[in-house]
Amino acid sequence: MRSKYLFLVLAMLVCTLLTGRPGQAESYDPGETVDYSSPLIIRTRELVEQPLPHHRYSTIIFRGNTPNKGQIAKQPLAENPEPLHDQLLSTFYAKIESREYIDWSNLPGIPKGFQHFPEEADIKSIRARLAKKALPPDGTEVIVIPLCQNLAVTIDGHLDEPQWEQLAAKIMIGKDGARTLLYLLADDSNLYLGCDAIDERTMKGFDQFRFYFHLNTSPHIANERIHVSEDTVNGLRQTRINWRKSPPTNENERWKKFHISDWNIYQLASGTCSFSRNKKYEASINLEESGLPIEIPFSAFVEVESDPIYEAGKFKSRVHIGELGTQKRPVWFIIQKIAAEAQGR
């Protein structure tokens, strides 16, 4: 017992020598201040002020052959899809081999202006019919994009409408530790996309939000997609179709060397980004123009790009701070009505 008390006395003596007299406040030097610009302190403060967002979305399991309540029935094939693929291919060639399209594609740089070619309207109509037939395998998990009424979403890049937090499907898609949050919401006319790139701290650079779809609609289409960067949005269709006539004769015709890339295919799409503490994106895609179906699954994937890596002033590699799915391993979505009580939460 005596040794125990002796140990306590010695411990108190050591504490007094190290910290001063018991009850005395630690000495304070008014000239000694905390460097709040320290990256470690800034990062810690941001993590406290912005807690890690969480997922919020629902899924269904696709059953194509044995539909049950709450599941999606496979759409009856009113016609053999193969003639539609052939019709799509012939319509593509009718467009890209027209003098108007060739002149438009031969302009320097990326083609400008919406495609008003009559064949493009036919292409959109055919691929929309094919999209309704491109269903996932049985047992596939499908993410539900809430279909709501009376949405009032302004595409300004701020994500400040309450619908984004209250109604949208919300998915964390950050890569390599980045916090990148994807929002998806729809009404009868548009698919709305939002992205909060919480760790994107620079306004300039090659920052870009990309949403890819029509991945398995037809063997002649690799994908369609929108790119959102700065104050611009562009719609692009990447085909698997090759130029089949005379080879290119100059640099402006180099597009004939590759699979045809169809630029500016969306007139009704909109998108932009904003920057306050971090980069945010908003976009809308018109469902009719894009051929995205309601109540039928479709495949897609998402990429969010940040500033590239340079070494010795030369480009080395691109950097993604957000990804969901890939071209070969897409994610399946369905635009579907949600319960009335959920819309009011």
Side-chain angles (χ1 to χ4, degrees):
M1 181 68 70
R2 182 176 298 176
S3 61
K4 180 178 180 181
Y5 285 123
L6 180 61
F7 173 79
L8 291 174
V9 171
L10 290 173
M12 292 177 64
L13 179 61
V14 170
C15 290
T16 301
L17 292 173
L18 292 175
T19 63
R21 294 189 302 275
Q24 182 183 29
E26 183 179 357
S27 61
Y28 171 69
D29 180 1
E32 182 181 0
T33 59
V34 177
D35 180 11
Y36 285 101
S37 65
S38 163
L40 178 60
I41 291 180
I42 290 176
R43 180 66 173 161
T44 303
R45 189 167 56 197
E46 287 170 353
L47 289 174
V48 171
E49 293 174 357
Q50 296 191 48
L52 191 67
H54 59 279
H55 293 284
R56 188 196 62 230
Y57 63 92
S58 59
T59 63
I60 63 170
I61 302 300
F62 178 77
R63 303 294 182 195
N65 297 321
T66 55
N68 296 318
K69 184 177 180 180
Q71 296 174 334
I72 306 302
K74 188 172 183 179
Q75 301 300 306
L77 297 182
E79 53 193 331
N80 187 333
E82 290 186 5
L84 279 179
H85 292 303
D86 294 340
Q87 185 180 350
L88 181 66
L89 182 61
S90 62
T91 308
F92 264 122
Y93 276 121
K95 182 181 78 167
I96 67 176
E97 292 174 357
S98 69
R99 173 47 55 189
E100 292 79 7
Y101 184 89
I102 294 172
D103 291 343
W104 180 74
S105 297
N106 284 348
L107 294 173
I110 296 175
K112 305 295 191 298
F114 174 70
Q115 289 196 33
H116 288 285
F117 311 111
E119 298 87 355
E120 175 59 26
D122 295 334
I123 289 170
K124 285 186 170 71
S125 175
I126 297 168
R127 68 96 160 88
R129 292 158 64 189
L130 286 168
K132 295 179 180 180
K133 306 174 186 294
L135 302 176
D138 277 10
T140 298
E141 186 175 26
V142 181
I143 296 175
V144 175
I145 300 175
L147 175 62
C148 305
Q149 305 297 322
N150 303 318
L151 289 179
V153 177
T154 301
I155 304 302
D156 55 13
H158 293 294
L159 293 172
D160 53 3
E161 289 89 355
Q163 292 94 330
W164 291 115
E165 287 297 334
Q166 296 174 1
L167 300 176
K170 186 165 67 169
I171 309 171
M172 178 60 72
I173 63 170
K175 184 181 179 185
D176 298 330
R179 297 172 298 167
T180 306
L181 195 57
L182 174 69
Y183 296 86
L184 304 106
L185 189 61
D187 59 21
D188 292 327
S189 300
N190 296 289
L191 169 63
Y192 299 98
L193 304 166
C195 178
D196 190 357
I198 298 169
D199 294 311
E200 180 54 75
R201 301 294 181 175
T202 60
M203 181 62 186
K204 296 183 178 180
F206 199 68
D207 305 343
Q208 195 172 78
F209 171 82
R210 297 186 287 270
F211 186 77
Y212 299 74
F213 49 99
H214 286 310
L215 309 181
N216 61 339
T217 297
S218 171
H220 306 307
I221 298 175
N223 59 65
E224 292 187 15
R225 59 188 186 265
I226 62 164
H227 298 178
V228 181
S229 57
E230 295 295 333
D231 292 326
T232 62
V233 61
N234 206 322
L236 171 66
R237 178 188 299 119
Q238 183 60 56
T239 77
R240 296 188 177 98
I241 298 171
N242 294 312
W243 179 255
R244 63 182 182 180
K245 292 197 171 184
S246 57
T249 58
N250 56 59
E251 186 63 20
N252 287 340
E253 292 186 342
R254 67 188 305 271
W255 58 273
K256 297 179 179 179
K257 298 179 181 180
F258 313 102
H259 290 318
I260 300 298
S261 295
D262 255 345
W263 290 89
N264 301 332
I265 59 173
Y266 300 136
Q267 189 174 26
L268 302 178
S270 62
T272 188
C273 65
S274 69
F275 186 89
S276 178
R277 295 182 59 179
N278 61 278
K279 184 70 71 69
K280 296 180 180 180
Y281 301 87
E282 277 184 326
S284 68
I285 305 173
N286 182 268
L287 296 178
E288 182 177 1
E289 184 177 53
S290 65
L292 289 174
I294 292 178
E295 302 285 354
I296 299 174
F298 66 92
S299 58
F301 70 97
V302 181
E303 294 175 341
V304 184
E305 188 162 356
S306 183
D307 300 333
I309 295 175
Y310 291 91
E311 282 190 358
K314 294 184 178 181
F315 174 85
K316 180 182 178 182
S317 62
R318 305 175 85 159
V319 175
H320 288 177
I321 58 171
E323 289 182 352
L324 181 65
T326 65
Q327 177 79 41
K328 293 183 178 180
R329 298 179 64 87
V331 176
W332 285 86
F333 296 95
I334 184 169
I335 299 172
Q336 192 174 64
K337 292 181 180 179
I338 60 176
E341 58 270 18
Q343 293 197 39
R345 68 171 179 244

